[in-house]
Amino acid sequence: MFNDRKVSYSGVQPSGNLTIGNYLGAIRNFKTYSDRYKCFYCVVDMHAITVRQVPAELRRRTYETLALYIACGLDPEINTLYVQSHVHEHAELAWILNCFTMFGELSRMTQFKDKSARHADNVNAGLFTYPVLMASDILLYQTDVVPVGIDQKQHVELTRDIATRFNQLYPDTFTIPEPIVVSTGKKIMSLADPLKKMSKSDENLNGVVFILDDKDTIIRKFKRAVTDSDTEIRDAEEKPGIRNLINIYSCFTGKTVPEIEQEFKGVGYGDFKIAVGEACAAGLEPIQTRFKELVADKAYLEAQMKKGAEEAAWYARRTLGKVRKKLGFTQV
Ligand code: ATP
Ligand code: LTN
């Protein structure tokens, strides 16, 4: 809460091209709060370097992620959109919160276990303390709600634990945030392996639909989606491929699962896959058009980045100042 206004905060890493998982699980829901809350949405470049990045690509994707935020309907005049490394208070608070986070807590984080297995040659300390930097992002802005996909819920819960521990020692420092996970879209699965989360850093590109894929590519990827040997379009645990396609169709059309099952009664998998691909392409088209205009205007994006960083820093400084005082740090 800041000045009687509730706060919504979230972030996306510029670690690859954004997928429909990022869009449906996170970015699309950022807008829900735009009218009523003070909203901060960040491009978390410092999180991205926990795995190796090519500098020129990181730079390009940072601009692109900001452009996608705007293209997805987040008005930079209303929402504070900024880049994490432009506000140094994040790194400063992260150090402090490291001293209030337990080794055991970080060891239990499933994303750390997954990523350290996937990047076994680079299990760096940043990958381990990643959730502490995320807690700093959230807590600096006295956040009430954090819209995320389900994979990030555990990190927000750890953030709550860190904030509660800190508040017990130093009362009234942080607002305790709430993770907001939508029911449809919270976990979009890979089209190539519907038991695996669709992820922008997946090696199998056939399973991943990018927000910027053109219509033909989208339809081709959906046509190849792995399903089962049955023929019925029905939402069931034992049909993870079809369940995922129904879920994606529901997200793009707003139709409920029973409505979709009814609509596709007696229809073959092939036609259903094309229908899902078409709904997805149609939903993404306006975003792609706006995105193309925005990335062509680097000066505009830079101006937004600068404005966002200045706004965010104002709030971040207030919280960090309070933390420093409570801890007993001196001020000159
Ligand atoms: P990486 O592959 O680099 O780990 P990612 O694709 O998992 O990246 P993040 O930047 O870590 O994406 O996530 C940004 C937001 O998108 C988070 O809120 C996350 O929960 C959400 N998200 C990512 N993938 C999915 C998905 N498949 N379904 C729903 N939400 C997702
Ligand atoms: N860890 C998140 C990205 C992220 C974030 C945040 C999300 C960084 N800081 C603060 C919500 C709030 C991820 O990997 N998707």
Side-chain angles (χ1 to χ4, degrees):
M1 190 88 86
F2 252 119
N3 295 344
D4 289 338
R5 248 180 116 194
K6 286 202 172 184
V7 173
S8 170
Y9 189 99
S10 199
V12 174
Q13 302 181 68
S15 52
N17 295 323
L18 297 195
T19 72
I20 57 167
N22 298 130
Y23 176 59
L24 300 175
I27 304 178
R28 194 169 74 140
N29 310 309
F30 293 179
K31 238 171 57 172
T32 318
Y33 300 94
S34 272
D35 303 336
R36 293 166 295 137
Y37 287 46
K38 172 72 202 139
C39 297
F40 298 88
Y41 298 122
C42 185
V43 181
V44 291
D45 54 349
M46 296 202 292
H47 277 109
I49 62 161
T50 53
V51 303
R52 292 283 170 260
Q53 302 291 335
V54 176
E57 283 180 12
L58 180 67
R59 197 171 298 120
R60 175 176 58 78
R61 285 176 178 147
T62 301
Y63 281 99
E64 288 181 358
T65 307
L66 180 74
L68 268 176
Y69 277 172
I70 302 172
C72 289
L74 297 171
D75 181 348
E77 296 302 325
I78 300 173
N79 304 274
T80 301
L81 309 179
Y82 73 104
V83 177
Q84 187 184 34
S85 69
H86 295 177
V87 182
H88 62 76
E89 284 79 3
H90 289 242
E92 221 173 312
L93 183 62
W95 173 256
I96 294 170
L97 295 183
N98 267 318
C99 305
F100 293 84
T101 308
M102 299 303 132
F103 185 88
E105 286 177 316
L106 293 174
S107 311
R108 285 194 287 277
M109 294 294 113
T110 52
Q111 181 175 293
F112 172 69
K113 290 190 231 170
D114 289 351
K115 287 209 174 175
S116 50
R118 266 200 283 150
H119 303 276
D121 55 336
N122 182 24
V123 185
N124 60 73
L127 199 60
F128 188 63
T129 60
Y130 177 114
V132 184
L133 179 58
M134 179 161 160
S136 307
D137 299 342
I138 297 169
L139 298 178
L140 269 179
Y141 300 91
Q142 305 294 348
T143 300
D144 295 276
V145 296
V146 187
V148 280
I150 198 144
D151 61 307
Q152 294 301 313
K153 194 167 176 226
Q154 192 187 34
H155 287 163
V156 184
E157 278 160 1
L158 176 64
T159 302
R160 288 168 64 87
D161 293 343
I162 297 170
T164 305
R165 182 174 303 140
F166 198 96
N167 282 354
Q168 271 160 4
L169 292 162
Y170 310 99
D172 302 322
T173 309
F174 296 123
T175 303
I176 309 295
E178 186 93 43
I180 304 286
V181 178
V182 287
S183 52
T184 49
K186 67 181 174 205
K187 193 169 187 187
I188 302 297
M189 311 308 278
S190 160
L191 300 187
D193 178 358
L195 296 174
K196 214 171 102 191
K197 187 190 89 149
M198 186 183 285
S199 167
K200 55 176 126 76
S201 51
D202 200 324
E203 290 104 51
N204 187 350
L205 291 186
N206 285 324
V208 185
V209 180
F210 296 104
I211 300 180
L212 299 175
D213 275 346
D214 61 40
K215 185 170 176 182
D216 289 349
T217 309
I218 294 174
I219 306 268
R220 180 173 48 78
K221 286 180 177 174
F222 276 101
K223 272 188 182 164
R224 284 202 201 158
V226 170
T227 47
D228 50 56
S229 54
D230 187 31
T231 53
E232 204 186 348
I233 294 160
R234 182 169 52 87
D235 179 42
E237 179 94 45
E238 67 278 12
K239 294 163 74 71
I242 290 293
R243 166 170 273 185
N244 190 37
L245 294 179
I246 290 178
N247 188 22
I248 295 171
Y249 190 72
S250 167
C251 288
F252 281 111
T253 60
K255 292 178 185 165
T256 63
V257 174
E259 280 168 355
I260 296 167
E261 287 174 339
Q262 189 58 34
E263 182 179 350
F264 291 97
K265 224 181 187 118
V267 175
Y269 279 4
D271 287 341
F272 176 53
K273 287 177 181 177
I274 294 172
V276 182
E278 277 175 350
C280 174
L284 295 178
E285 201 218 27
I287 298 172
Q288 297 178 346
T289 308
R290 182 79 184 108
F291 173 83
K292 280 178 199 142
E293 293 163 5
L294 287 162
V295 282
D297 192 350
K298 202 168 171 198
Y300 171 79
L301 290 177
E302 269 167 3
Q304 296 312 322
M305 260 181 201
K306 191 159 186 286
K307 182 171 86 71
E310 281 163 6
E311 274 170 25
W314 186 86
Y315 289 91
R317 271 199 295 269
R318 263 184 38 173
T319 300
L320 189 66
K322 185 162 143 188
V323 169
R324 291 179 53 100
K325 230 189 244 163
K326 296 220 178 211
L327 286 169
F329 283 178
T330 49
Q331 200 73 45
V332 284

